[in-house]
Amino acid sequence: MEESVKIEAEGISEEAEEKVRENEENPVLSVRNLHTSFFTDSGEVKAVNGVSFNLKKGKILGIVGESGSGKSVTAYSIMQILADTGRVVEGEILYNGKNVLKFNKKEMHAFRGDKCSIIFQDPMTSLNPTFTIGSQINEAIMLHTDRKTRKAATARSIELLEMVGVNEPEKRISQYPHELSGGMRQRVMIAMALACEPDILIADEPTTALDVTIQAQILELMKSLQEKMGMAIILVTHDLGVIAYMCDEIIVMYGGRVCERGTADDIFYRPCHEYTKGLLRSIPNIENMKERLVPIAGSPINLLNLPKGCAFCARCDNAMKICLEEVPPEMEMPDGHFASCWLNVKKAAEQEQAEKQAGAAAVKAGADTTAAKADEKTGEAEV
């Protein structure tokens, strides 16, 4: 059975890839087969393994997964701000058709900030505690825009702080990061990221360190700014609630690979990967308030020693032998979204086999009926 599953997968994978290419029109950012590794004393840590996606202008793409799934490393690979031990070993990152990985130092400087900006997880560690808020925003403006004087940069800084909802912006630009609240610091980080009006904004866990009320305000702010400025956003998070509220398309990652991709409705109501199903089972909702939540069994995989097959197979209750040996292909589901799971390939193969058997049975039944009628006519003729 598993041999037929594997043969079926080859055809399905080609069809899925062709459909993805047809559906994506002029993406502002295209990531193709991205592999990023960190070379340590213990060996090569394969943090991202063959991630591909397209980001259209004016859309919000969510990347979700547990810690260590490769979400942030994917974002840092796009910005080329990896640690010294990190390196993109394979793949392409295309911005309007140009490969970012082949940019020289000057082109990369123009890409960062001007074309693509990032909001980091913790604003307290991202902002320099020895400089005022105003001087840090001014620096970004003077480096990446045509406002080269301090007066012009300060005026723009005040305008940006007002845009992101910081009260008394004229006063705030003279303050230091420790004088502001967590939510206020995150608003400052968003203002810095928007200083150059980038085409792409990467938000790496932008609400992690904030309480629920401030989280909602920051997400609402980001959504309104995205609609106003028409930029594309990559939202990296482990919070499925944030993803459901914000995103046009969602990518679920595990072990540096894409498990499933689709709209919020596809992922939340029609999940087709065992990892996605496990994530959803671990979330409390109004229907399971009296039931014990079901965590995903086992521990995250060791990226120093990735399995030969599916990264999730060791924690999957429905794993098959082929899951240990082969990486599953990305397959289109009946509703149009995509998942990489051998169980879906097996199901498709079984359905096809059942249809063939039903067709063969119908043909045989038709032949039997025809033969019976022929016998009946022969009998009548003899009489």
Side-chain angles (χ1 to χ4, degrees), residues 136-365:
Q136 295 184 62
I137 302 177
N138 286 354
E139 182 184 18
I141 293 170
M142 292 170 73
L143 275 173
H144 295 286
T145 72
D146 56 1
R147 296 176 176 86
K148 300 300 181 184
T149 65
R150 186 166 295 279
K151 183 178 180 181
T154 300
R156 177 60 174 160
S157 295
I158 292 171
E159 183 184 330
L160 287 165
L161 289 175
E162 192 172 354
M163 184 192 298
V164 298
V166 173
N167 62 338
E168 299 181 286
E170 295 85 356
K171 178 183 175 183
R172 301 300 178 196
I173 60 171
S174 301
Q175 292 183 318
Y176 290 87
H178 70 271
E179 297 180 84
L180 305 181
S181 66
M184 203 71 79
R185 285 194 292 267
Q186 193 60 283
R187 289 174 189 269
V188 169
M189 287 296 299
I190 294 172
M192 288 178 69
L194 299 179
C196 311
E197 299 183 9
D199 296 331
I200 304 163
L201 177 65
I202 300 173
D204 183 19
E205 306 266 11
T207 59
T208 299
L210 307 176
D211 62 61
V212 177
T213 307
I214 303 300
Q215 274 188 24
Q217 293 175 7
I218 294 297
L219 293 174
E220 190 63 43
L221 170 64
M222 287 178 62
K223 200 162 189 177
S224 64
L225 289 171
Q226 184 264 339
E227 291 170 358
K228 181 180 177 181
M229 301 175 74
M231 61 188 170
I233 294 179
I234 298 176
L235 181 61
V236 177
T237 183
H238 63 269
D239 191 329
L240 288 167
V242 170
I243 285 286
Y245 172 72
M246 288 283 290
C247 299
D248 298 302
E249 185 180 1
I250 298 169
I251 288 175
V252 182
M253 285 185 68
Y254 183 82
R257 295 172 185 156
V258 175
C259 298
E260 193 163 1
R261 70 177 82 225
T263 64
D265 284 348
D266 293 332
I267 300 300
F268 282 87
Y269 298 112
R270 298 179 293 276
C272 292
H273 194 283
E274 294 303 298
Y275 176 60
T276 310
K277 293 174 185 177
L279 288 177
L280 295 173
R281 281 196 299 268
S282 65
I283 300 174
N285 61 57
I286 198 166
E287 295 177 359
N288 66 359
M289 293 296 285
K290 295 182 179 180
E291 298 175 14
R292 188 181 291 275
L293 295 177
V294 182
I296 298 174
S299 303
I301 61 169
N302 181 5
L303 295 174
L304 277 167
N305 187 24
L306 282 171
K308 187 179 177 182
C310 175
F312 188 64
C313 66
R315 304 174 71 184
C316 178
D317 294 333
N318 298 310
M320 303 179 290
K321 185 179 178 182
I322 194 171
C323 300
L324 296 166
E325 299 170 352
E326 300 279 346
V327 176
E330 190 170 62
M331 174 182 169
E332 185 179 5
M333 300 295 102
D335 59 10
H337 84 285
F338 295 85
S340 302
C341 181
W342 282 115
L343 291 170
N344 297 320
V345 180
K346 179 184 176 185
K347 185 178 178 182
E350 288 173 344
Q351 286 178 344
E352 185 178 340
Q353 190 174 359
E355 287 171 4
K356 285 180 179 178
Q357 288 174 349
V363 170
K364 187 176 183 300

